[in-house]
Amino acid sequence: MGPFGSNIKVDNFIDAGVPVLNGSNLQGFKLNEDSFNYVSQEKADSLGKANAHRGDVVITHRGTLGQIIYIPEDSKYEQYVISQSQFRLKLNQNIIRPDFFVYFFHTRLGQHRILMNASQVGVPALARPTSTFKEVLVPVPPIEVQSKVMEILHSLDDKIEVNRRINDNLEQQAQALFKSWFVDFEPFRDGEFVGSELGMIPKGWRVGRLFDVAEIFDKIRKPLSSRDRENMDRIYPYYGATSCMDYVDNYLFDGIYTLIGEDGSVVKEDGLPYMQYVWGKFWVNNHAHILQGKNGFSTEMIHVMLSITNIQHLVTGAVQAKLSQANMQKILVALPPIDVINKIRPLIDKLYQKRRNLEDENSRLASLRDTLLPKLMSGELKVNEIEL
C-alpha cells in the first residue's frame, strides 16, 4: 500500500529526486511520465514497500477507481514512490507479463473485477484492496501467446504515441508562431511602434479584450449526473473542466470550440489555464467555459493565445479556484489590422487541422485496440487472424 498521508506531505517535495506518483501518472496502460513531484532518496527509502520499480503494477484504490498501469522496463527512473491512494504488486514474470496483466484489467471484464468490491459511500474506494485483489481471477495463457497478443496491441499503441508526439510538436509550433506575431511582433520590427497597455505595439494595432475576439456559450451548458449517464449509449464525448469524463447518447455542441476551466481545476502550477481544444459533437458540463473565435480570430487562434497567457491573477476563490466571465474579459489582446489577421490565421489553422487529423486517427486506432483487446484476451480471436 502507499504511505499514510502523514508520512508524505507537500513539505517533502523537492525539485528533483525520486518521483512520486499521482492519478495523472496512472492514465492509460503504462506509467505516464509527463510530470512528477519528487522526494529525496532518504525520504523514499524510509517509505519501504511504498516504493515501486520497473515491472511493478500500480493500482488506484481510492478516488478515481479503475486506474491500473505497469512500469515499463525502459522507464525514466528505477524507483518511484506510490501515493496514499495507490497500491502496487509484483508479478511472477515467468507466468504472466505485466503488460498483458494490465491490458486485461482495461477490458470491460477486467474493470468489473477491479470494481466489484468498490464502495461509493463518501470518497469512492476499494474495500480491503490488497486482500480482495488477491482473489481476482486473471486469464493466463502461455507466455508465447501473451507475447503475440501484446505485439499486436503495442503496435497500435506505438502508432498512437508517435501521433501524440507529432501533435505536441504541432502545438509548440503554433505557440511559437503566435508569440512571434502577437507578442514579440517580429514580422513588424522594421515598422513604427507606439505605446499601449501592453507596452510598445506596431502602429495601426490596438489593444482589445478577450471577448472582442471570442464568443462565449455558457448559457446552453447542462450538467449530467452519473445516474443520467449510467444507461446511455456511449457515442458523444462528455467534457468537464480538464478532460473527457464520459460518453453520452446526446450532444449540445457541434463544431470546433476551446474549453477553459471555470471552477475547480482552472490553472496549472505555471499559471497557464487548463484548456481543451475539441471538435465534433459533444456535451459539456457546467465546470467549463465554451469559446469560439470571432471578428477574424479563429477558435484555433483563441486556443493558442490562451495557451501562452498566464491567468493566475484572474483566478478567485480561497477554497475552490474560479475563473469568472468578468475576469476573463480582463485578458488583453493585441489586435492588428484585418489584413494581418488574414495572413496569420491560415498558418495557425493549418497546424491545428493536422492536429485534428492525427487525433482522429488516434481515436480510430484506440477504438480498434479496444475492440481487439477483449477478444484477444479471451481467446475468441486468434493472434494469427489479425492483420494490421
Side-chain angles (χ1 to χ4, degrees):
M1 293 287 286
F4 287 109
S6 58
N7 286 341
I8 185 167
K9 302 177 181 178
V10 173
D11 293 345
N12 299 129
F13 293 153
I14 57 178
D15 292 337
V18 179
V20 180
L21 305 186
N22 59 40
S24 67
N25 302 120
L26 269 64
Q27 296 174 352
F29 297 87
K30 68 178 180 179
L31 181 66
N32 180 336
E33 303 197 77
D34 286 347
S35 65
F36 290 114
N37 291 313
Y38 300 90
V39 293
S40 67
Q41 185 68 57
E42 181 183 12
K43 181 63 179 178
D45 292 343
S46 74
L47 298 173
K49 291 184 178 180
N51 284 271
H53 301 85
R54 291 167 180 163
D56 286 359
V57 172
V58 183
I59 306 164
T60 299
H61 67 79
R62 184 181 64 180
T64 306
L65 302 182
Q67 291 183 316
I68 176 170
I69 58 92
Y70 68 97
I71 302 175
E73 294 301 325
D74 61 352
S75 63
K76 291 181 182 178
Y77 300 89
E78 295 183 357
Q79 180 182 4
Y80 302 83
V81 174
I82 62 176
S83 82
Q84 62 189 35
S85 298
Q86 299 162 357
F87 67 98
R88 70 171 184 88
L89 58 90
K90 189 176 295 293
L91 299 168
N92 182 342
Q93 295 191 34
N94 294 320
I95 297 174
I96 191 164
R97 293 173 50 134
D99 50 359
F100 184 90
F101 181 88
V102 165
Y103 273 66
F104 166 71
F105 283 104
H106 280 265
T107 65
R108 184 181 292 272
L109 175 60
Q111 284 285 293
H112 170 72
R113 291 184 179 175
I114 287 180
L115 300 174
M116 60 186 180
N117 293 304
S119 168
Q120 299 299 325
V121 178
V123 177
L126 302 181
R128 297 177 293 111
T130 54
S131 58
T132 55
F133 196 77
K134 290 177 182 177
E135 305 302 319
V136 172
L137 296 177
V138 182
V140 187
I143 282 288
E144 58 270 21
V145 173
Q146 295 179 40
S147 296
K148 290 178 180 177
V149 167
M150 295 317 306
E151 182 180 351
I152 292 168
L153 296 176
H154 282 320
S155 69
L156 293 170
D157 279 336
D158 288 346
K159 292 177 183 177
I160 290 172
E161 178 60 20
V162 168
N163 286 348
R164 187 189 70 81
R165 290 178 182 175
I166 294 172
N167 267 348
D168 286 346
N169 181 261
L170 290 171
E171 185 172 357
Q172 291 170 19
Q173 289 183 52
Q175 290 174 357
L177 183 60
F178 189 93
K179 185 174 183 292
S180 171
W181 282 55
F182 285 84
V183 179
D184 299 330
F185 310 114
E186 291 176 357
F188 315 99
R189 282 298 178 190
D190 294 336
E192 186 178 349
F193 279 66
V194 296
S196 76
E197 293 176 81
L198 289 172
M200 301 300 289
I201 62 174
K203 186 176 181 179
W205 291 47
R206 65 183 180 88
V207 174
R209 298 186 181 273
L210 177 62
F211 294 145
D212 291 333
V213 293
E215 186 174 2
I216 195 162
F217 294 88
D218 283 1
K219 291 184 179 179
I220 54 176
R221 296 176 302 177
K222 293 181 181 178
L224 284 174
S225 69
S226 57
R227 178 173 294 182
D228 291 334
R229 308 195 305 266
E230 277 178 2
N231 298 316
M232 286 187 171
D233 294 329
R234 300 172 63 82
I235 302 172
Y236 305 109
Y238 176 66
Y239 292 102
T242 62
S243 63
C244 179
M245 301 170 55
D246 202 346
Y247 289 84
V248 296
D249 59 11
N250 203 345
Y251 61 92
L252 287 172
F253 298 91
D254 184 4
I256 300 174
Y257 296 83
T258 287
L259 309 183
I260 182 170
E262 177 183 2
D263 53 31
S265 296
V266 175
V267 293
K268 305 172 188 175
E269 291 181 358
D270 56 9
L272 297 176
Y274 278 107
M275 284 196 309
Q276 297 168 86
Y277 172 71
V278 301
W279 59 94
K281 296 179 173 66
F282 58 91
W283 195 291
V284 180
N285 72 6
N286 58 339
H287 295 293
H289 296 293
I290 303 99
L291 302 174
Q292 276 188 330
K294 69 177 184 181
N295 292 335
F297 270 57
S298 63
T299 300
E300 290 75 12
M301 292 174 68
I302 297 300
H303 184 268
V304 72
M305 177 188 71
L306 291 173
S307 70
I308 61 173
T309 302
N310 188 312
I311 63 166
Q312 184 70 60
H313 63 291
L314 301 176
V315 176
T316 59
V319 177
Q320 184 179 48
K322 184 173 181 62
L323 178 65
S324 67
Q325 288 189 39
N327 279 348
M328 289 175 69
Q329 178 64 350
K330 295 177 183 177
I331 297 174
L332 300 179
V333 186
L335 298 177
I338 191 64
D339 62 311
V340 174
I341 296 176
N342 290 339
K343 289 177 182 176
I344 184 68
R345 175 174 175 163
L347 302 178
I348 290 177
D349 289 0
K350 184 177 181 181
L351 293 172
Y352 273 79
Q353 178 63 62
K354 291 179 180 178
R355 174 180 173 177
R356 292 198 300 274
N357 291 343
L358 288 171
E359 290 198 20
D360 286 342
E361 181 181 358
N362 274 0
S363 293
R364 292 190 294 270
L365 291 170
S367 179
L368 174 59
R369 177 200 63 206
D370 294 345
T371 299
L372 293 176
L373 180 56
K375 294 180 179 180
L376 288 168
M377 289 286 168
S378 66
E380 177 187 344
L381 191 61
K382 305 300 180 185
V383 291
N384 57 7
E385 298 173 351
I386 303 296
E387 290 186 11
L388 297 177

